[in-house]
Amino acid sequence: MSNPTRRAFLRSMGLLTIGFSLPFSDAEDLPGSLKKTPNINAWLEVLASGKVRVFTGKIELGQGIRTAIAQMAAEELYLPMHQVEVIMADTERSPNETYTAGSASIENSAIAVRYAAATARATLLQRAAQQFETDIEKLTLKNGFVQYRKQRKSFSELLNGQQLSGEVKMPVSLKPKRMYELVGKAIHRSEIEKMVKAESWYVQDLRFPGMIHARISRPPSYDSRLEFLDEKALRKQFPGLQKVVVKGSFVGIMGADEFEVMQAQQWLKDHARWSVGTSLPAPKDLVTYLKSLPGETKSITKRGTLSSNATWKARYIKPYLMHGSIGPSCAVAWYQDGKLQIWTHSQGVYPLREALHKMLDLPLELIHVQGVAGSGCYGHNGADDVAAEAALLAMTVPGIPVRLQWSREEEHAWEPYGSAMVFEVEARLDTQGRIQEWNYELWSDTHSTRPGGNPENLLPARYLEKPFLPKQNLEVNGGMVRNSEPYYALPNLAVTAHRFSGPLRVSALRSLGGYGNVFAIECFMDELAEKARKDPFEFRLMHLEDTRAIAVVEKLREILSKEKNAPGEGVGIGFARYKNTAAYCAVAARVRVIQRSMQVIKLWAVIDAGEIINRDGIINQTEGGMIQSASWTIKEQVKFDTRQPITRDWYSYPIFRMSEIPEVAVHVIDQPNEKPLGAGEAVQGPTAAALANAYYQASGGRLRELPLLLSSYREQSQKEN
Amino acid sequence: MKTTLQLRVNGISHSLTIDPDTPLLYVLRNQLQLNGPKYGCGLQQCGACMVLLDGKAHPSCMIAVDVVKNQEITTLEGISSGNTLHPLQQAFIDEQAAQCGYCVNGMLVSAVSVLKESPHPDEKTIREGLERVLCRCGTQARFLRAIKRVIR
């Protein structure tokens, strides 16, 4: 926390007289990813050009982390933004920070860069003091130069061609926040210029001389096995095919002409023969079915005592949802001179490398996995799978780069979905309308089957001659119980989780179980508010103790106090603190209900993500998160029959189009003296509840099953009958 | 069966020997190495592959190259004039209208098409013009703001 006494030692003009700033933090522990990787030169290096190159194990997914990290490095080193370049996830260059996930990149990676850059600054100044034979406090620092009277030396001159060495050691003197020129500001993301100019940016844009195109022939259901493939007939039909790879039931084809390879893939769909495979249950009542499946039951929280006479009960339902990246997954792999290089938009280059090493039986050091931007993924989509498939194919054509592009149908049908979930909650109110008891149960499949070094989580590994099959695991794990405990002061509370292993392939989707849990909790809070005859704001505030939580809810109330609804419209709210430890977020939704249809008119969010790094980054993520969550909540549901998922394009799995987009408004509360927190997932759950609550306010109909459009249709058909 | 045909893209004529049934998208990306039009669905459902055909936005993922050989094809690469960005490109930068940016091609190309038809469209017209383009990051509110910035 900023120490006023050191202000006396600070100069104006953005220059710092060095050496007098006191330790910013007294904590002994290294923050974030420095714990695992304390070396300064793992995080940054000084280039001869005067630029500083920063390394992060995280990848840019459209969330703006590249810019936020650059801002923090530039700030500590007193550099302008354009003098900092950022190298992202790369197994030969960046630190191993496993996955870009859980809104944790700011808290772990950006913080590590901040402390490493501050340490680098101190080291550079020490060297300068020696070389100029003066005291550190007589030096000034600007634009990559250290100045002493009329002499100056660049960072790279100070290092004499060497690199920074040594480890970051606490305590570290950070730049005083009042001197900040970049952090906290809405700094532009430079890659947006590349995007609008159609410059090469995505993995899909990579082109290498001699590169060939690949496609996979997919089975008709998850565990079908290949019975017969007439390679002769295939090759006769498509003479340009360069290679047909059949490894067990893994089938890939490659050729120079992408269109021909696509046509061959289509031909194989009609001509390859597969076993039928285990049929999927396609029960009429999915909820009863999922609840009946075996799996661990685990008490997550229990305090106080629960009587058996709860007054109010409700059940909420969330279907399977898909990530639905606009650009289907893609990778390039190149096996040459015994070494395999892969370009991927995977969220975890190191765990992917580990899984590939086991799947391919190729030594780790011979695999280089490099992160490249892709279409937004919002969690674990087909990125790792397509990289593994490209790797398998590239190994059969040494020296030739192989580009594998999934089709829309493959992404829709084969990606690991966000699990369906069921929530049952009951509560008892006291005479003042306070919640006395809260008993909450949830049922869910897992929310992470990321590779994590395990080949069985890579799709193609399941089809090889010696398949790596997913291990049966029926344990309750962290993702499903995320935000299952309400962030309210409840004297008697029980939260219980039930695990099932459902019919569809599932994994991490933005906010994991947090989306469904917050939807259920915050809808029920509204239902209870009505029973208690309290206003929804008032009822939440009665049960909140954390002042930052209270502040976001009150700010939202203030914003809405000036708003008026038109006939047929209603406003609902939702609140959560993401993971109960990260960003605070309150959302309001205004919907209009006309007959069987509902339209989202406007969404408001108030968010507190601690210290703001990039203001526009937080706003962009929050606006986008609200719109995405509204699309999930109103319209989306993965459907399947006894063979396979049947939502295989954008008509069978519709998402919001331009005509459905509401107006959005985001208010960010800055907490300059608090830890900066990720903001990418905080809004997903509160938005869902706000929408259902708004529907209730507009129409009097309480919808407890997602997607809302389907439930509202059902509800209103029932009314009419 | 490959044949040789002429294709006019961004004001330049190209002579290509190619299967005339190849959808335009693959010719633009693979033969001409353009990055603007992107593969999103191959079904004309998402608009990631949008190009201008004689000035009008059209998906390029299904239409055969043979069908468009006599049309003026413009991709995102061709909407700026020299080093000067199209006002819509500049507005997208100014509004920071992108997250992952994969749909930006479709949004920009469609917006150029809308403004060609009417320089001062109302919001409904803009939305209709962009209806074919899907964005999963939820950046649509920013795209609308950016386009309105240009027509003001």
Side-chain angles (χ1 to χ4, degrees):
Chain A
M1 311 309 121
S2 185
N3 182 337
T5 59
R6 69 180 168 208
R7 285 185 190 158
F9 302 107
L10 301 174
R11 279 196 199 161
S12 56
M13 311 291 291
L15 301 178
L16 177 62
T17 302
I18 310 298
F20 289 81
S21 65
L22 299 172
F24 171 80
S25 168
D26 300 323
E28 290 302 313
D29 277 353
L30 286 170
S33 299
L34 284 171
K35 284 187 194 73
K36 197 162 130 194
T37 311
N39 293 3
I40 304 168
N41 62 10
W43 298 97
L44 57 92
E45 64 186 32
V46 171
L47 306 182
S49 65
K51 283 191 174 185
V52 168
R53 180 181 283 156
V54 173
F55 301 93
T56 168
K58 305 292 181 177
I59 190 168
E60 178 63 40
L61 307 163
Q63 82 282 39
I65 191 63
R66 200 192 61 76
T67 307
I69 287 173
Q71 278 175 269
M72 289 166 87
E75 193 72 85
E76 288 301 327
L77 290 162
Y78 292 73
L79 287 171
M81 284 294 283
H82 67 84
Q83 275 184 259
V84 174
E85 63 173 66
V86 181
I87 302 290
M88 312 207 74
D90 183 328
T91 57
E92 291 198 351
R93 306 179 84 184
S94 74
N96 180 356
E97 296 190 86
T98 65
Y99 287 105
T100 304
S103 296
S105 300
I106 289 278
E107 287 175 65
N108 293 321
S109 193
I111 284 290
V113 168
R114 171 181 272 179
Y115 279 79
T119 307
R121 182 190 66 218
T123 311
L124 288 164
L125 287 165
Q126 257 166 25
R127 287 204 173 215
Q130 282 165 8
Q131 292 176 23
F132 291 129
E133 294 176 351
T134 184
D135 299 328
I136 284 178
E137 49 268 35
K138 291 188 178 132
L139 303 171
T140 53
L141 183 59
K142 198 180 185 185
N143 289 341
F145 291 92
V146 178
Q147 182 131 12
Y148 173 61
R149 295 194 178 143
K150 282 185 177 161
Q151 312 172 61
R152 65 172 202 174
K153 280 191 176 190
S154 72
F155 288 175
S156 106
E157 284 167 336
L158 285 168
L159 290 171
N160 231 339
Q162 293 172 320
Q163 275 308 332
L164 291 154
S165 56
E167 295 186 354
V168 180
K169 289 201 180 72
M170 298 300 274
V172 172
S173 299
L174 296 177
K175 183 174 180 178
K177 286 174 195 272
R178 56 178 289 274
M179 306 285 293
Y180 278 1
E181 292 177 59
L182 299 167
V183 167
K185 304 278 186 335
I187 302 285
H188 276 194
R189 290 170 53 204
S190 58
E191 62 267 22
I192 292 184
E193 197 168 321
K194 288 181 194 257
M195 293 167 185
V196 306
K197 287 161 113 174
E199 287 175 13
S200 174
W201 171 249
Y202 304 95
V203 67
Q204 284 89 346
D205 299 332
L206 290 174
R207 298 178 184 91
F208 296 100
M211 184 175 81
I212 58 174
H213 295 273
R215 291 294 186 276
I216 305 296
S217 179
R218 302 277 165 200
S221 64
Y222 283 145
D223 63 354
S224 299
R225 297 285 136 184
L226 183 68
E227 286 176 344
F228 179 68
L229 186 153
D230 187 348
E231 191 179 330
K232 225 178 185 177
L234 172 71
R235 283 189 177 275
K236 198 175 164 205
Q237 195 77 22
F238 302 99
L241 283 189
Q242 216 159 311
K243 184 99 183 171
V244 177
V245 178
V246 180
K247 289 174 179 285
S249 291
F250 172 75
V251 181
I253 46 175
M254 291 178 267
D257 183 344
E258 187 173 16
F259 183 51
E260 184 176 15
V261 179
M262 288 165 62
Q263 289 172 295
Q265 183 190 30
Q266 191 58 42
W267 187 91
L268 280 171
K269 208 174 177 180
D270 301 331
H271 293 85
R273 206 169 69 225
W274 298 84
S275 70
V276 176
T278 318
S279 37
L280 298 174
K284 222 170 162 229
D285 182 355
L286 183 65
V287 170
T288 308
Y289 172 75
L290 295 178
K291 281 182 66 181
S292 75
L293 293 173
E296 187 190 5
T297 288
K298 192 175 175 182
S299 168
I300 305 303
T301 314
K302 200 165 188 336
R303 65 169 172 265
T305 47
L306 293 169
S307 60
S308 53
N309 54 349
T311 330
W312 310 108
K313 293 184 186 187
R315 173 199 278 181
Y316 302 89
I317 297 159
K318 179 221 156 213
Y320 287 99
L321 293 175
M322 68 174 70
H323 299 80
S325 299
I326 298 301
S329 295
C330 180
V332 178
W334 195 346
Y335 183 61
Q336 55 180 344
D337 307 325
K339 220 179 152 186
L340 177 67
Q341 183 161 9
I342 292 159
W343 290 264
T344 171
H345 55 106
S346 164
Q347 289 182 286
V349 291
Y350 280 96
L352 173 60
R353 183 176 69 154
E354 175 87 22
L356 289 173
H357 146 70
K358 291 175 188 159
M359 181 183 80
L360 301 168
D361 199 17
L362 191 67
L364 211 52
E365 61 276 13
L366 296 181
I367 307 175
H368 177 190
V369 183
Q370 189 175 339
V372 188
S375 178
C377 59
Y378 329 104
H380 177 200
N381 67 350
D384 295 286
D385 300 325
V386 76
E389 290 167 347
L392 279 164
L393 295 176
M395 297 282 290
T396 69
V397 285
I400 301 175
V402 174
R403 177 185 189 270
L404 175 57
Q405 167 72 68
W406 275 17
S407 68
R408 170 51 47 206
E409 182 179 8
E410 287 171 285
E411 189 76 35
H412 262 55
W414 292 90
E415 68 142 282
Y417 307 116
S419 177
M421 296 175 83
V422 182
F423 318 89
E424 291 182 356
V425 54
E426 47 186 47
R428 195 164 63 77
L429 299 172
D430 68 14
T431 49
Q432 275 83 49
R434 286 182 149 275
I435 301 167
Q436 264 306 305
E437 295 180 18
W438 178 285
N439 189 5
Y440 181 88
E441 288 184 83
L442 73 102
W443 287 258
S444 177
D445 203 334
T446 182
H447 289 260
S448 182
T449 61
R450 290 182 187 276
N454 301 314
E456 59 266 24
N457 286 340
L458 295 171
L459 191 60
R462 302 173 183 186
Y463 300 96
L464 299 173
E465 299 97 328
K466 280 191 207 152
F468 296 87
L469 296 172
K471 294 178 189 77
Q472 177 77 300
N473 176 341
L474 290 170
E475 284 169 18
V476 168
N477 56 29
M480 58 191 275
V481 303
R482 184 168 289 179
N483 281 101
S484 59
E485 185 178 339
Y487 201 67
Y488 297 106
L490 305 173
N492 303 293
L493 170 77
V495 175
T496 310
H498 308 271
R499 168 70 194 272
F500 61 76
S501 180
L504 300 183
R505 183 184 185 214
V506 291
S507 193
L509 172 62
R510 197 174 185 176
S511 81
L512 313 189
Y515 168 76
N517 283 315
V518 171
F519 165 69
I521 291 169
E522 287 295 296
C523 283
F524 198 55
M525 284 299 283
D526 249 44
E527 296 200 44
L528 291 178
E530 191 182 22
K531 309 294 181 205
R533 297 174 192 282
K534 304 278 184 201
D535 160 83
F537 280 107
E538 197 50 50
F539 188 69
R540 284 173 175 81
L541 290 167
M542 277 165 61
H543 293 92
L544 282 173
E545 287 176 337
D546 182 336
T547 51
R548 289 170 70 183
I550 292 168
V552 296
V553 173
E554 287 196 326
K555 184 70 200 175
L556 185 67
R557 177 157 68 173
E558 181 198 318
I559 290 167
L560 288 184
S561 65
K562 296 156 207 150
E563 294 286 333
K564 274 206 176 76
N565 291 330
E569 291 181 353
V571 169
I573 61 166
F575 159 81
R577 181 176 190 196
Y578 185 51
K579 301 193 232 178
N580 286 348
T581 55
Y584 301 81
C585 186
V587 174
R590 169 179 286 145
V591 306
R592 183 181 297 148
V593 178
I594 311 155
Q595 293 183 333
R596 292 184 176 188
S597 181
M598 61 186 296
Q599 193 188 354
V600 190
I601 307 293
K602 185 163 180 178
L603 294 166
W604 296 263
V606 177
I607 182 163
D608 167 358
E611 178 197 1
I612 295 173
I613 306 301
N614 189 321
R615 179 178 291 274
D616 193 56
I618 296 179
I619 294 173
N620 202 357
Q621 282 290 289
T622 307
E623 287 177 353
M626 282 196 284
I627 290 172
Q628 185 182 68
S629 175
S631 178
W632 292 354
T633 304
I634 305 270
K635 303 183 76 160
E636 299 183 24
Q637 179 179 27
V638 173
K639 294 181 192 153
F640 55 99
D641 64 13
T642 53
R643 278 191 329 137
Q644 59 188 4
I646 55 170
T647 38
R648 298 169 91 86
D649 61 20
W650 293 120
Y651 289 158
S652 52
Y653 190 92
I655 63 173
F656 266 13
R657 285 189 183 267
M658 199 50 109
S659 58
E660 297 160 292
I661 300 301
E663 195 185 333
V664 288
V666 175
H667 179 91
V668 187
I669 295 179
D670 192 10
Q671 301 279 10
N673 296 319
E674 299 286 347
K675 255 185 11 178
L677 303 164
E681 299 170 291
V683 79
Q684 305 303 110
T687 303
L691 287 162
N693 293 336
Y695 182 90
Y696 179 77
Q697 296 296 334
S699 72
R702 175 53 67 180
L703 307 179
R704 300 190 183 88
E705 180 169 357
L706 300 175
L708 296 181
L709 202 57
L710 192 70
S711 322
S712 80
Y713 186 84
R714 262 194 225 130
E715 191 224 1
Q716 291 178 43
S717 314
Q718 276 166 7
K719 249 193 241 168
E720 284 159 28
N721 293 332
Chain B
M1 211 41 156
K2 288 194 175 175
T3 136
T4 300
L5 52 80
Q6 303 293 317
L7 206 62
R8 226 177 127 70
V9 181
N10 298 330
I12 298 166
S13 284
H14 300 269
S15 182
L16 300 164
T17 304
I18 195 165
D19 175 349
D21 290 336
T22 308
L24 175 61
L25 174 66
Y26 304 97
V27 179
L28 297 174
R29 287 197 65 90
N30 295 340
Q31 269 77 12
L32 304 185
Q33 311 231 323
L34 296 169
N35 294 317
K38 294 189 169 51
Y39 173 74
C41 67
L43 304 163
Q44 299 198 152
Q45 294 178 355
C46 79
C49 63
M50 213 59 98
V51 295
L52 296 171
L53 296 180
D54 290 336
K56 227 172 133 66
H58 197 283
S60 63
C61 65
M62 289 182 86
I63 194 163
V65 65
D66 195 46
V67 176
V68 296
K69 63 185 177 209
N70 295 321
Q71 287 181 275
E72 186 70 42
I73 300 158
T74 311
T75 69
L76 183 56
E77 284 89 345
I79 70 165
S80 52
S81 32
N83 287 330
T84 313
L85 292 181
H86 188 285
L88 281 164
Q89 289 173 305
Q90 189 58 50
F92 272 50
I93 294 170
D94 294 341
E95 288 289 342
Q96 289 288 285
Q99 285 181 60
C100 84
Y102 202 83
C103 71
V104 158
N105 173 72
M107 295 292 175
L108 270 172
V109 168
S110 300
V112 169
S113 180
V114 169
L115 295 197
K116 271 198 177 146
E117 291 223 342
S118 71
H120 299 283
D122 59 14
E123 169 139 358
K124 190 162 172 280
T125 310
I126 300 172
R127 284 182 184 245
E128 277 167 8
L130 272 54
E131 185 74 0
R132 284 184 296 181
V133 188
L134 289 175
C135 165
R136 186 55 160 170
C137 298
T139 319
Q140 291 95 335
R142 287 188 174 224
F143 299 140
L144 290 172
R145 259 179 253 153
I147 295 163
K148 286 181 196 162
R149 185 189 262 255
V150 172
I151 60 178
R152 255 202 311 260

